[in-house]
Every structure is written in structure tokens, then in C-alpha cells.
Amino acid sequence: MGAGAVDKPAEMFDRAFEWAELTRFATLPGPQATLGVVSGRRRQGKTFLLDAVARASGGFMFTATETTEADALRQFGEALARYRGQPTPFRFAHWDEAVAELMRIADAGGPAVAVIDEFPFLAKASPSLPSIIQRALDPAAQHSNTPVRLLLCGSALSFMGRLLSGNAPLRGRAGLELVVPTLDFRLAAEFWQIDDPRTALLTNAIVGGTPAYRREFTQGDTPAGPDDFDAWVVRAVLNPARPLFREARYLLAEEPELHDTALYHSVLAAIAAGNAARGGIADYLGRKSTDLAHPLSVLQDVGMITHEADAFRRNRSAYRIAEPLVTFYHAVMRPAWGDLERPGRAPDVWRRTQSTFRSKVVGPHFEQVCREWARWHAAPDTHGGHATRVAGGTVNDPAARTSHEVDVAVHGETHDGRQVLLAIGEAKWSDVMGAGHLERLRHIRSLLTRSGTATEATRLYCFSGTGFTDELTHLAKNDPTIHLIDLLRLYHGE
């Protein structure tokens, strides 16, 4: 791989930023060995990316497995010997020898890429390995190194996060720290090649933006259109012979940090049932709130849930499941697991769970997609300023002795730099929105204006998966602070 831009493989969807950063790192000039770290949740295509970089450069790639130190060294010695064209495997007694040999693979032709995929498996069996790599990158050791571009990759997010943090051995050593994200809802629709926005959103509510769920897990079986969606769920997701069927269970089983998977599954089930606060999760499980601090923090560390502060009350926050398939599993599949395991029962289960699917899966997912649109896709002119934070929130209504949920609250700054609440919005997947929904938003805006949080210029957003009444459409035409956002605008507009 020479210096300069390297063409992205034609079969690679999107990932232009990640490809550019990886190839820049792979071709860095200079005689010394350098380190890069690549992380991201499972099934996002990290291995596909790294394999493509290694192939493009004629580099070395080793994928670790969960095994003992001795066996890992044997596998590594065989792989390195094959790469070097040597007839007999290297016999490494310790990782010091293996890493020293790895650092010598570049020749006079320039930098060479070396990828160690699933690095957490190696480090689990050999806890000193990060320190050994650190020593190999020390100035004193660099005189015997060649310009190897070493890439360590892993899906165990908590482990990969700790690799470069605080006083960890490799802190300050990496010239690249790349997180490979999940595809957002717009890219996911493009990747699944679904043109109809309604079908795209329903599909996204089940499989999210994980590329492997289209490639390896469904072999390209996608909903052909609105009329095929239900049949697709039955044949591709609720079918015990297909890999997606057990995937949500395997995702937890594959996380090395999660020892008592039954507890973690029950916490996820509580969140999927609509409990977003720690107290509600505790009540659902019949446990004390303090008992949940550890499992919630571990689920957050491994990227299975997110924890977002309330848009209006800093002392409140909401837990949400980060992987849509896990929500779908807990809301729809787990309660009917016995039936679903018997072939032929899926169509009946799917019919029975339609209302649960709409309320527990699609409704919350639609709200999340609306927040994403407001944060990343809406134009500054739509907001009347630049969005800096978008969240859901709760607004007190002392006179009525109640509180109001706000699905989308857009905080940001106006064009002249003042910090303000730019917009509030309500998201309804199944309802045709009308003047009553607008009135509710106006009332919430007046409460927030009284408390000094909003102004009369704060925009009002109505997001609907079903449509708007003529009356609401007419009101919005005559008031520039009212925006009606349908599925077409979510997927293609600003």
C-alpha cells in the first residue's frame, strides 16, 4: 500500500470516514512502529474493514479466539509463519517473543499493517499483553522495530475503553482511536435497499443499523415492500431456523463482563417494558434501587443501554436499550419463546403481539429516530439556530398538579450565539395528529416560557408516522414556528 489515497472496495457500504482514517494510519511514513485501536459494538463490520485494509496493503491479520495463552501463542506462531512464507511455525514461549517478531514484519518497501482482531480474548488469557506491547513501542525498543502499523481491534467496549484510559499501559501510545458506529436510520434504509419510509422505519425498529443483520443473518432477505413486512418478520426474525432468532440472547452471552446473564436479561426486560428510570426498573424486578447500580453501569459500559439526562431536569434521567433487536426480543419474542421454538407458530404469535410491537417497540423507536433527525439531519433554519443537545424530558405543571412528557427537546444556540431552547416536539407513530396535539405543545411551551426556559420563538414540532389533519396542516401553513414532520421528511428532508 503506497502513500496517498487508497480506493475503498466497491462492495463496502458507506464507511468512507473509517476507511480514510485506517488507510491514512496504514500508510503513515516514518521508521517507527505505531499503534491504532479500533472498537465498536459487535456485528458492525469492523473485521470486514480491517480485513480489507490488510488485503489492500498485503498486511498480516490474526483473529484471536477464546483459548489458553499457550494455545493462542501456538495459533499466532502458525499464522505469522504462514504470512512470512516460512515452512515451519514459530514456537513462541512468551508474548514478548511473539510481539518482538511481529514488530519485524515490515521490509524496505515501507510500512506494513498488522491487525490483531478480537484482542480482548488474548488479553483475557494473557493480562500482561498490553504492557508487553507498550514496552515494544517504547523509544528504547523502537531501534529493533520496523514500521509496523499495529491495529488492535475488539468488540468488548468496556475493555477497549479501558485500554487507553487513565494509567493503562497503552495510554498515550495510539496514533488512531477509531470507533466503528452503527448505521443511522437513513443509512440503514439505504443499506437494506428499502425505499418505502414506513417499511424502512418498521424494519429499523427491529434490526437497527447493524450491517451483519442484512448480510450474514438474513442472506439479503429484506422486506420487498409494505405488503411483505409481516411475512418478512415471520420468515426472517421469528423463524427458529434463522440466525436472527437467537441473536439477542447471544449478544449478552458474548459479553465477557456479563457473568449473571439472567439478571442482565431481566434488567433489559424491565426497560423494554417501558421503565426508563432506575426506580421503575427496580419496582418491575421487585428489587431495591441500590441493587441495580452495578448491573445498569455494566450494561452501559458494554454499550447495551444508554443513559440520558432529562432535557429539563438534571436530577432525572432515562435508560434506553441501544440495540433495537434486544428491545424486540424482550417485548415480543421472550414472552412467547415456548411457542416460537415450535415451527409454524410464528404467524399466530406475530398476530397476537401487534399492539405490543406498536407500543413497546415501534413507538419508543420512532421517538428516538425523531430525536436523531432533530440532532443530525434538521437544518439550522428549521430550528432557528444550531442544535447542541436533543433529549426527551419532563415538564412540571404545578397548577394542574401534573407533569408533561416531551419526546423531543432541542437545546442549542441562536445565530447570534445565545443559548436557548430551540424547539419542543411530540412524536406519534400511530395517530393522525391534529389541533389537540398542537395545543398541548403550546401549553408546554407557555409553562417553559414562564420558567424562563423557552420563548415564543421556540419551535413546535409534530412528528407523525400516520399523517396530520387538514386543520393542523392549515395552522402550520400560517405559523412559521410550527413544523409538521412526516416519514418522508424524516428520511429525506431537513
Side-chain angles (χ1 to χ4, degrees), residues 294-478:
H294 179 68
L296 285 168
S297 124
V298 171
L299 284 168
Q300 227 180 309
D301 283 349
V302 301
M304 200 63 76
I305 62 175
T306 59
H307 187 209
E308 295 160 17
D310 188 289
F312 306 109
R313 295 154 73 174
R314 287 293 180 184
N315 60 341
R316 281 181 60 122
S317 56
Y319 288 98
R320 295 193 179 91
I321 296 173
E323 176 53 72
L325 190 65
V326 173
T327 303
F328 182 78
Y329 166 74
H330 282 288
V332 172
M333 295 176 74
R334 195 174 178 222
W337 192 256
D339 280 356
L340 287 170
E341 282 189 307
R342 290 182 69 86
R345 297 290 178 94
D348 181 52
V349 170
W350 185 233
R351 270 192 301 277
R352 289 200 321 263
T353 54
Q354 285 299 299
S355 63
T356 303
F357 175 60
R358 282 194 301 273
S359 63
K360 301 290 190 227
V361 180
V362 186
H365 186 73
F366 181 58
E367 290 172 16
Q368 183 58 32
V369 163
C370 294
R371 286 189 284 271
E372 280 181 36
W373 177 85
R375 180 70 180 94
W376 304 113
H377 299 291
D381 283 349
T382 298
H383 292 322
H386 291 273
T388 54
R389 178 176 169 246
V390 176
T394 311
V395 177
N396 272 339
D397 188 345
R401 296 186 176 177
T402 187
S403 61
H404 304 282
E405 296 294 322
V406 174
D407 298 328
V408 180
V410 184
H411 291 276
E413 51 184 53
T414 55
H415 299 303
D416 58 4
R418 284 178 301 112
Q419 299 292 316
V420 291
L421 178 66
L422 294 169
I424 56 171
E426 181 161 4
K428 292 289 182 196
W429 172 253
S430 302
D431 297 357
V432 174
M433 296 184 80
H437 295 96
L438 178 64
E439 206 38 61
R440 179 178 177 274
L441 283 173
R442 280 180 169 152
H443 176 60
I444 294 169
R445 181 172 65 182
S446 70
L447 290 170
L448 289 166
T449 304
R450 252 174 264 154
S451 69
T453 307
T455 67
E456 285 305 311
T458 297
R459 312 274 161 111
L460 305 176
Y461 294 163
C462 293
F463 298 90
S464 175
T466 310
F468 310 97
T469 63
D470 291 344
E471 184 186 7
L472 182 57
T473 305
H474 176 73
L475 288 165
K477 268 198 184 113
N478 298 310

Side-chain angles (χ1 to χ4, degrees), residues 87-425:
T88 54
F90 288 109
R91 302 264 183 244
F92 298 125
H94 306 289
W95 275 110
D96 295 78
E97 297 171 10
V99 171
E101 189 62 42
L102 181 65
M103 293 298 181
R104 288 195 279 269
I105 66 167
D107 56 27
V113 172
V115 176
I116 299 181
D117 197 10
E118 300 291 3
F119 181 70
F121 286 150
L122 290 186
K124 187 180 174 189
S126 312
S128 62
L129 186 53
S131 299
I132 291 167
I133 292 171
Q134 178 227 319
R135 277 206 304 279
L137 294 168
D138 278 347
Q142 286 283 15
H143 66 274
S144 60
N145 291 342
T146 58
V148 170
R149 303 296 170 247
L150 175 60
L151 288 161
L152 305 179
C153 178
S155 305
L157 293 188
S158 50
F159 174 87
M160 296 305 288
R162 287 197 300 270
L163 205 55
L164 301 174
S165 66
N167 55 3
L170 292 173
R171 176 166 168 72
R173 300 282 170 184
L176 174 76
E177 291 180 42
L178 185 67
V179 177
V180 178
T182 300
L183 300 174
D184 82 352
F185 71 98
R186 285 187 171 185
L187 284 170
E190 208 182 309
F191 181 67
W192 280 75
Q193 294 175 309
I194 302 174
D195 296 327
D196 173 56
R198 187 177 180 81
T199 310
L201 195 129
L202 286 168
T203 306
N204 191 246
I206 298 177
V207 291
T210 297
Y213 294 160
R214 177 171 187 227
R215 285 200 171 117
E216 293 89 336
F217 284 67
T218 57
Q219 283 85 49
D221 180 359
T222 64
D227 297 339
D228 185 43
F229 176 74
D230 290 328
W232 173 80
V233 174
V234 168
R235 72 177 180 260
V237 188
L238 301 181
N239 178 347
R242 298 284 181 95
L244 268 181
F245 184 74
R246 291 177 183 81
E247 169 68 357
R249 289 182 158 204
Y250 292 157
L251 279 175
L252 251 65
E254 285 173 350
E255 282 295 346
E257 306 283 321
L258 307 184
H259 305 300
D260 178 6
T261 52
L263 170 62
Y264 294 106
H265 270 300
S266 62
V267 171
L268 291 168
I271 299 172
N275 300 287
R278 191 197 287 187
I281 297 166
D283 290 346
Y284 184 90
L285 298 179
R287 287 176 174 249
K288 292 205 289 289
S289 184
T290 47
D291 294 347
L292 295 180
H294 179 68
L296 285 168
S297 124
V298 171
L299 284 168
Q300 227 180 309
D301 283 349
V302 301
M304 200 63 76
I305 62 175
T306 59
H307 187 209
E308 295 160 17
D310 188 289
F312 306 109
R313 295 154 73 174
R314 287 293 180 184
N315 60 341
R316 281 181 60 122
S317 56
Y319 288 98
R320 295 193 179 91
I321 296 173
E323 176 53 72
L325 190 65
V326 173
T327 303
F328 182 78
Y329 166 74
H330 282 288
V332 172
M333 295 176 74
R334 195 174 178 222
W337 192 256
D339 280 356
L340 287 170
E341 282 189 307
R342 290 182 69 86
R345 297 290 178 94
D348 181 52
V349 170
W350 185 233
R351 270 192 301 277
R352 289 200 321 263
T353 54
Q354 285 299 299
S355 63
T356 303
F357 175 60
R358 282 194 301 273
S359 63
K360 301 290 190 227
V361 180
V362 186
H365 186 73
F366 181 58
E367 290 172 16
Q368 183 58 32
V369 163
C370 294
R371 286 189 284 271
E372 280 181 36
W373 177 85
R375 180 70 180 94
W376 304 113
H377 299 291
D381 283 349
T382 298
H383 292 322
H386 291 273
T388 54
R389 178 176 169 246
V390 176
T394 311
V395 177
N396 272 339
D397 188 345
R401 296 186 176 177
T402 187
S403 61
H404 304 282
E405 296 294 322
V406 174
D407 298 328
V408 180
V410 184
H411 291 276
E413 51 184 53
T414 55
H415 299 303
D416 58 4
R418 284 178 301 112
Q419 299 292 316
V420 291
L421 178 66
L422 294 169
I424 56 171

